[in-house]
Amino acid sequence: MTSTTRLTRRRLGLLGTAAGLATALPLRHAAAAEFNFKVGTNVPASHPLNTYLTRAAEKAKEATEGRFELQIFPNNQLGGDTDMFSQLRSGALECFLNSGVNTLSTLIPAAAISGVGFAFKDYDAVWSALDGKLGAHLREQIGRSGLVVMDRIWDNGFRLMTNSVRPIGQPDDLRGLKMRVPVSQMWLSLFRALGAAPTGLNFAEVYSALQTRVVDGQENPPAIISAAKLFEVQRYASVTNHMWDGWWFLMNRRAWSRVPAATQETVTRIVNAACLEQRAEIAQQNTSLRGDLAAGGMVFNDVDQAPFRERLSSAGFYREWRERFGEQPWGLLEETVGRLA
Ligand code: X2X
């Protein structure tokens, strides 16, 4: 109890009016929804992932006349990625937005394939793979694991590297640099192959790890660097676009199967439509934010990707991951992006 509420109660007690007490309590008029689905995300409320999920929630509530509610919990309010993922699996959390390359890949190794370094050269390549055969293959694997996944993957963006030590122009500039990466074999392997010293941390811990210099740098798209205010604790931004990443909209199967088919269809249609709008917003922000971040004190440099790809090839990165994923998903990836070696 805060000192203010204690004071208020004492005053009310002194005044001794029951009516006074009643007006001090919040009144709830809204009827409870039949289905209330909590949705956990790992980025701040202002990030387009959350603003477009919130729009979807409003539309879903309206379209189902209040029967189906999505309640968004942004910014790791329910715990970090590792926690939210186990809550999703147990049913404590109905929906969770998770990168396939991140926690999800601990259950479904193939889901990490979208994170292969320098695989996608632009958004056309990303959407033709993830809305096409590769995405269908991954969703099938996710479905087999007992989770439900929406068709469209939400956009996080192309990732760039930031740090507080020096601009990254060549792979050698990463040598000895302590880089935070998500808790993921793919990310650790990528940054080790490039010669950095990566540490796996959930996003919930990133701002303070950078502020206290537990790590020198991190990598994320501009929309996250802006929403999570990482520009306050990072100086250099090197536009490596070394990886594209997105969030799958995952659901607990038992919770979803209790929802009538017609309501499922309505909610699915609304969520997937909001996702397409979110992608457009992210693509726009990821170019327009560069100026804002520079005004916030970040120093940008553009990067030639060729030496980074060569470093990965000579370190055996592509060979290793091709073996780990197997020929089928690797073939589906190469069908859209060309040969990776
Ligand atoms: O943890 C990250 O860096 C983030 C927010 O980009 C992911 O979800 C992978």
Side-chain angles (χ1 to χ4, degrees):
M1 197 191 289
T2 65
S3 57
T4 325
T5 52
R6 227 178 281 130
L7 188 66
T8 309
R9 291 237 177 119
R10 206 179 303 134
R11 279 219 191 114
L12 287 170
L14 285 172
L15 292 171
T17 64
L21 187 63
T23 52
L25 296 171
L27 295 169
R28 285 178 199 275
H29 297 292
E34 200 177 328
F35 301 101
N36 198 314
F37 276 37
K38 298 183 290 302
V39 184
T41 82
N42 65 355
V43 286
S46 64
H47 187 282
L49 177 66
N50 296 310
T51 54
Y52 284 84
L53 283 171
T54 303
R55 283 195 199 183
E58 285 159 5
K59 287 190 180 154
K61 191 173 176 182
E62 204 182 292
T64 63
E65 285 157 355
R67 280 196 314 281
F68 189 94
E69 232 179 288
L70 290 169
Q71 202 185 351
I72 320 296
F73 291 88
N75 208 21
N76 301 296
Q77 279 174 19
L78 302 178
D81 284 301
T82 313
D83 289 333
M84 287 193 280
F85 192 63
S86 46
Q87 290 164 23
L88 174 80
R89 295 190 68 197
S90 75
L93 177 59
E94 290 82 7
C95 312
F96 174 41
L97 278 285
N98 191 217
S99 154
V101 194
N102 203 355
T103 329
L104 183 60
S105 70
T106 59
L107 182 65
I108 300 137
I113 200 167
S114 56
V116 168
F118 303 99
F120 300 108
K121 72 172 194 311
D122 55 26
Y123 272 120
D124 284 348
V126 170
W127 305 134
S128 71
L130 275 305
D131 288 339
K133 282 197 234 163
L134 181 65
H137 172 78
L138 299 180
R139 289 192 297 277
E140 193 200 307
Q141 305 266 310
I142 296 170
R144 275 203 218 141
S145 78
L147 295 169
V148 174
V149 59
M150 291 283 187
D151 278 347
R152 305 284 188 171
I153 187 166
W154 294 62
D155 191 16
N156 186 336
F158 283 91
R159 304 173 77 92
L160 46 92
M161 299 181 194
T162 71
N163 77 91
S164 53
V165 181
R166 56 182 170 256
I168 307 301
Q170 299 290 327
D172 279 349
D173 297 327
L174 280 168
R175 189 165 295 159
L177 219 55
K178 281 183 266 161
M179 291 292 288
R180 173 274 169 175
V181 295
V183 181
S184 150
Q185 290 305 316
M186 170 60 78
W187 255 294
L188 287 166
S189 153
L190 177 65
F191 277 82
R192 279 191 198 122
L194 290 172
T199 305
L201 289 175
N202 279 330
F203 191 69
E205 298 165 79
V206 170
Y207 186 96
S208 70
L210 294 168
Q211 189 178 37
T212 57
R213 301 263 182 146
V214 167
V215 291
D216 300 312
Q218 65 85 47
E219 43 81 60
N220 254 303
I224 285 186
I225 298 170
S226 170
K229 300 195 183 333
L230 301 185
F231 56 85
E232 293 175 350
V233 287
Q234 294 281 270
R235 178 136 175 87
Y236 301 104
S238 306
V239 187
T240 47
N241 294 333
H242 54 278
M243 187 199 281
W244 171 84
D245 195 34
W247 287 278
W248 290 112
F249 189 116
L250 304 171
M251 287 187 284
N252 177 275
R253 171 158 304 179
R254 261 166 298 139
W256 186 237
S257 64
R258 284 195 284 267
V259 178
T263 308
Q264 284 186 353
E265 266 167 47
T266 304
V267 174
T268 300
R269 177 177 42 78
I270 289 170
V271 167
N272 287 328
C275 172
L276 296 186
E277 293 173 25
Q278 187 264 0
R279 289 178 182 180
E281 172 68 16
I282 287 282
Q284 195 274 331
Q285 278 204 8
N286 280 339
T287 40
S288 68
L289 282 175
R290 183 164 167 164
D292 294 0
L293 293 172
M298 292 199 97
V299 178
F300 276 82
N301 69 288
D302 288 310
V303 175
D304 174 13
Q305 293 184 338
F308 288 84
R309 287 167 174 269
E310 280 156 26
R311 183 64 61 94
L312 291 184
S313 294
S314 62
F317 173 85
Y318 295 109
R319 201 179 342 107
E320 181 194 332
W321 283 98
R322 172 184 212 119
E323 271 166 31
R324 286 173 78 158
F325 288 124
E327 288 306 318
Q328 196 197 2
W330 195 267
L332 292 174
L333 176 63
E334 285 191 337
E335 239 176 68
T336 21
V337 304
R339 179 137 173 82
L340 291 163

